[in-house]
């Protein structure tokens, strides 16, 4: 609030990038945020196992999950976690989400108090998703949707409120979106597209594909398909394919089936061409 009072006194446009550590390991928050949740009612993921027919490399986070295993004394050095330990972690994650939600609320209340809200653009975004025993994994180190999908909320004067869209968005789209919303000039080097059309017309689909990466794994998303390929040191390629219309929890890799080979070939070629647009 004190910082914003200084900004108000200067009476100039400003940009604030506010980063929150939570929710992130270790899940250590004030007790009142833990008490918001009934521990015994916390549910674990229904798909807490390696997807059928998925390659070994897809489970990197389970094989070498140092981020989780080095944070707590009672986490086993390897293997899956027992249900009660998993429930404790999910409980801690929920508490952490509620804690950071309260901190964001303080920031927005300050904007309201200083009468900034009516001409301020607010973007809430995360840098990755989080696995909470999904596929038997924890943290973020995978190419499954639960790790690749990020929270994204955009609030700005003149835009519709409380609307959702199924049009695909990427983080590279935020820069051109801010240029549009502030009526600024877009640099020529930008790769993303403005999301303002999607925000104003949330029922219309403006974008149907996206690219995400984790280490040497590349996931190409097109409509309901999530296609991932890894190029190994031997130049051999390993693949995963999920159809979210049929299998939204990504429980069975379709890439091994002959009937999907034409789709895989098409998506692989699209991924190759898509990456060329970055040059």
């Amino acid at each position: 609030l004190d910082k914003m009072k200084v900004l108000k006194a200067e009476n100039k446009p400003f940009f604030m990038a506010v980063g929150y550590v939570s929710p992130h390991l270790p899940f250590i928050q004030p007790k009142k945020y833990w008490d918001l949740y009934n521990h015994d009612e916390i549910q674990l993921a229904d798909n807490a196992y390696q997807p059928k027919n998925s390659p070994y490399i897809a489970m990197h986070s389970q094989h070498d999950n140092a981020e989780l295993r080095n944070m707590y004394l009672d986490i086993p050095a390897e293997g899956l976690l027992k249900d009660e330990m998993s429930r404790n972690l999910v409980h801690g994650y929920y508490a952490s989400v509620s804690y950071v939600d309260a901190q964001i609320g303080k920031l927005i209340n300050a904007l309201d108090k200083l009468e900034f809200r009516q001409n301020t653009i607010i973007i809430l975004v995360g840098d990755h998703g989080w696995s909470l025993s999904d596929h038997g994994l924890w943290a973020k180190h995978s190419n499954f949707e639960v790790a690749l999908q990020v929270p994204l909320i955009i609030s700005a004067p003149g835009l519709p409120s409380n609307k959702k869209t199924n049009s695909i968005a990427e983080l590279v789209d935020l820069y051109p979106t801010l240029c549009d919303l502030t009526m600024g000039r877009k640099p020529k080097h930008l790769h993303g597209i403005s999301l303002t059309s999607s925000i104003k017309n949330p029922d219309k689909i403006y974008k149907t594909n996206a690219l995400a990466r984790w280490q040497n794994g590349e996931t190409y998303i097109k409509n309901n398909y999530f296609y991932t390929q890894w190029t190994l040191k031997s130049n051999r390629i390993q693949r995963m394919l999920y159809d979210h219309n049929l299998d939204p929890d990504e429980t069975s890799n379709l890439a091994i089936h002959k009937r999907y080979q034409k789709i895989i070939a098409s998506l692989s070629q699209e991924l190759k061409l898509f990456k060329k647009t970055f040059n």
Side-chain angles (χ1 to χ4, degrees):
L1 181 57
D2 291 340
K3 176 62 176 177
M4 288 190 190
K5 286 179 179 178
V6 173
L7 293 170
K8 188 173 182 67
E10 292 177 350
N11 195 29
K12 296 178 182 178
F14 64 87
F15 174 88
M16 292 181 66
V18 183
Y20 298 95
V21 175
S22 293
H24 198 286
L25 291 168
F27 300 141
I28 301 171
Q29 308 300 348
K31 183 176 181 297
K32 68 177 183 178
Y33 296 103
W34 289 77
D35 292 344
L36 293 173
Y37 302 95
N38 185 329
H39 182 79
D40 295 333
E41 293 178 358
I42 290 175
Q43 300 294 313
L44 300 181
D46 292 331
N47 60 335
Y49 50 85
Q50 179 172 349
K52 186 178 179 181
N53 303 316
S54 61
Y56 179 89
I57 196 171
M59 305 301 291
H60 173 273
S61 182
Q62 188 186 101
H63 307 315
D64 183 26
N65 194 353
E67 184 172 39
L68 171 67
R69 301 188 193 279
N70 290 344
M71 285 288 178
Y72 303 96
L73 294 176
D74 52 351
I75 299 291
E78 59 184 21
L80 298 176
L81 307 187
K82 293 182 179 179
D83 283 355
E84 184 57 20
M85 182 175 290
S86 296
R87 191 168 285 108
N88 286 337
L89 286 167
V90 175
H91 193 164
Y93 180 83
Y94 289 174
S96 298
V97 170
S98 292
Y99 171 78
V100 77
D101 182 64
Q103 310 318 305
I104 294 168
K106 291 180 180 179
L107 183 63
I108 293 175
N109 287 340
L111 291 172
D112 287 334
K113 185 173 182 178
L114 295 173
E115 298 181 342
F116 277 145
R117 187 75 179 278
Q118 67 271 20
N119 62 345
T120 298
I121 300 162
I122 304 173
I123 297 180
L124 173 66
V125 62
D127 57 342
H128 55 74
W130 197 272
S131 301
L132 294 169
S133 78
D134 309 83
H135 309 301
L137 304 178
W138 296 89
K140 61 204 176 193
H141 311 101
S142 81
N143 286 80
F144 295 111
E145 185 199 26
V146 67
L148 300 179
Q149 191 176 51
V150 304
L152 177 59
I153 301 173
I154 300 175
S155 171
L159 296 182
S161 301
N162 300 318
K163 298 292 184 180
K164 296 180 180 179
T165 179
N166 286 323
S167 188
I168 288 177
E170 298 177 276
L171 296 185
V172 292
D173 298 332
L174 294 181
Y175 194 156
T177 301
L178 283 171
C179 289
D180 267 2
L181 293 177
T182 59
M183 294 180 287
R185 182 180 299 175
K186 294 189 185 76
K188 293 182 179 179
H189 66 267
L190 297 185
H191 293 298
I193 64 171
S194 174
L195 301 174
T196 51
S197 295
S198 295
I199 298 169
K200 293 177 180 178
N201 303 286
D203 294 331
K204 188 174 179 179
I205 302 298
Y206 289 89
K207 187 172 182 176
T208 59
N209 61 347
L211 175 65
R213 284 193 178 108
W214 160 243
Q215 292 193 345
N216 66 334
E218 298 179 321
T219 299
Y220 181 65
I221 302 160
K222 183 175 182 182
N223 296 320
N224 55 297
Y225 286 117
F226 272 62
Y227 168 70
T228 302
Q229 65 179 38
W230 296 265
T231 302
L232 307 182
K233 291 181 179 179
S234 62
N235 287 326
R236 189 165 59 92
I237 295 178
Q238 293 193 317
R239 311 176 195 271
M240 288 196 307
L241 176 67
Y242 299 100
D243 182 342
H244 279 221
N245 281 344
L246 304 174
D247 184 18
D249 292 331
E250 300 179 334
T251 62
S252 183
N253 177 23
L254 301 175
I256 68 162
H257 299 299
K258 289 184 178 180
R259 63 182 180 274
Y260 286 97
Q261 295 313 301
K262 287 185 178 180
I263 293 174
I264 288 173
S266 176
L267 293 174
S268 180
Q269 180 65 14
E270 285 190 41
L271 170 60
K272 183 178 180 180
L273 295 175
F274 193 57
K275 289 192 294 182
K276 285 186 177 181
T277 65
F278 304 155
N279 299 330

